[in-house]
Amino acid sequence: MEHPSCPPCHTLQFKFTRTLSRRTTCRLIQELIKQLLYLRQQIPMPVETLEATVKQLDTSDSVKKLRLSSHDKKTIKTVEAVGNILSAIEHLFGSSHVDCLAILVGSPVSPKEVYMIYMEYDESQEDVVDEKPTPKDFTSQCVRQMIRTLITQASWLLDTTASPSKFHVFARLPAGLQVESFIPKQTFRIKQPRSKNWVPKTFLFGDTSPEDMLNSINNNNNSN
């Protein structure tokens, strides 16, 4: 996966109190995707609200499912689609070290929006996994901090309106690696959207300066 040729114009860096683990980074990316889906108007309400709506529907048998309204059926389909994306992200982080993701809204050939995500985390560090995470759990704290940062520092996410479109997630991985739910595209190149008002948007997870982080990742990319 090759990166856009133009330099980032909107960059938001997330810094935390200690080095991130693979598990925490995975959760943060999942939550970022959920926020982008809502903030960029790809879904009508937050994912958690959609999930709560689906839980209230009576789908205990096939007959009751058929009697659901078209709106309810669409809500169920949306929740399932989001769940598939989040599961794919979990499989991805469980299969390989991931330092770069790209989210494309619209056609992969001619996307309407492009979001680059760069990450630094410690493979050797593992958080204590609680069966029932508490608000004081480090991962939960990081998620809340990320959402606050998005709300207070990423007003450019709301500068333009967007219509529902296809939502694609690309990852840079070692050649030949197969990951469930991801299709290898070794020669894929991200193209700049045609809109005159388009500017690339970048999210950074880690304490390294944006310039050093991007240089390090790009050097690793060139050496692979």
Side-chain angles (χ1 to χ4, degrees), residues 72-92:
D72 288 340
K73 290 178 181 177
K74 187 174 182 179
T75 301
I76 293 174
K77 188 176 180 179
T78 299
V79 170
E80 290 176 346
V82 174
N84 290 338
I85 294 174
L86 302 182
S87 295
I89 294 298
E90 189 168 353
H91 287 304
L92 176 66

Side-chain angles (χ1 to χ4, degrees), residues 40-95:
R40 296 308 299 141
Q41 303 155 38
Q42 300 306 297
I43 55 177
M45 58 189 72
V47 173
E48 290 76 13
T49 304
L50 289 172
E51 291 174 338
T53 300
V54 169
K55 286 181 179 179
Q56 294 176 355
L57 299 176
D58 189 352
T59 58
S60 55
D61 57 57
S62 57
V63 174
K64 291 180 179 178
K65 286 183 180 180
L66 289 173
R67 292 176 178 173
L68 293 174
S69 67
S70 58
H71 178 270
D72 288 340
K73 290 178 181 177
K74 187 174 182 179
T75 301
I76 293 174
K77 188 176 180 179
T78 299
V79 170
E80 290 176 346
V82 174
N84 290 338
I85 294 174
L86 302 182
S87 295
I89 294 298
E90 189 168 353
H91 287 304
L92 176 66
F93 276 87
S95 303

